């Protein structure tokens, strides 16, 4: 019997899936893990990454060799949404709003430039 060791990223210990042959397909591994962990395919998908090489398996036909260790993450069916927030504003519009400050001459001079600032959070 061959095996693949897996663990969810939030757990400390590995569990084992056993199978016949030299490798198991990604889709078969996902089905087996979801059945063992009582997960529903309609609720989430599994992101599987090789624990040693950090390679993410994305093709359901990919073959995972026996004795491999993988890290599992549950992801929503629609995929993971980006958590990036982009703030875009014009320097001139910001500087025009601070004309009552003591630096009126400097701010007015700077407001002639039409510059955009983009902050990624």
């Amino acid at each position: 019997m061959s095996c693949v060791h897996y663990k969810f990223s939030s757990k400390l210990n590995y569990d084992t899936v056993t199978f016949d042959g030299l490798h198991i397909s990604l889709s078969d591994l996902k089905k087996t893990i979801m059945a063992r962990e009582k997960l529903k395919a309609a609720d989430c998908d599994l992101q599987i990454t090789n624990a040693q090489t950090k390679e993410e398996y994305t093709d359901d036909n990919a073959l995972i060799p026996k004795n491999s260790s993988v890290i599992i993450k549950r992801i929503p069916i629609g995929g993971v949404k980006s958590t990036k927030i982009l703030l875009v504003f014009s320097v001139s519009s910001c500087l025009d709003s601070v004309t009552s400050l003591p630096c009126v001459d400097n701010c007015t001079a700077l407001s002639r430039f039409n510059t955009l600032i983009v902050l990624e959070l």
Side-chain angles (χ1 to χ4, degrees):
M1 292 300 264
S2 301
C3 65
V4 168
H5 306 283
Y6 74 93
K7 80 177 194 79
F8 284 87
S9 57
S10 60
K11 292 190 177 180
L12 296 176
N13 298 321
Y14 282 88
D15 291 311
T16 304
V17 170
T18 57
F19 57 92
D20 292 324
L22 299 175
H23 43 73
I24 185 170
S25 71
L26 180 62
S27 61
D28 288 342
L29 180 62
K30 284 182 179 182
K31 288 176 190 173
T32 304
I33 292 172
M34 291 184 94
R36 290 186 75 190
E37 301 292 330
K38 297 180 176 81
L39 299 172
K40 296 179 183 173
D43 295 340
C44 64
D45 192 13
L46 299 180
Q47 180 183 43
I48 300 181
T49 306
N50 186 301
Q52 286 79 31
T53 65
K54 308 297 185 219
E55 171 193 2
E56 182 182 336
Y57 297 106
T58 55
D59 181 14
D60 280 343
N61 296 319
L63 299 176
I64 301 170
K66 67 178 184 176
N67 300 324
S68 294
S69 296
V70 295
I71 307 294
I72 310 294
K73 289 183 184 176
R74 288 190 317 184
I75 56 172
I77 286 295
V80 178
K81 294 183 180 180
S82 175
T83 58
K84 292 182 183 177
I85 299 172
L86 293 179
L87 300 176
V88 179
F89 55 94
S90 169
V91 171
S92 61
S93 65
C94 291
L95 293 175
D96 288 343
S97 65
V98 295
T99 55
S100 62
L101 295 176
C103 67
V104 172
D105 294 334
N106 293 337
C107 292
T108 305
L110 290 173
S111 67
R112 292 183 195 143
F113 299 101
N114 219 3
T115 305
L116 292 179
I117 296 176
V118 178
L119 299 176
E120 185 175 316
L121 304 175

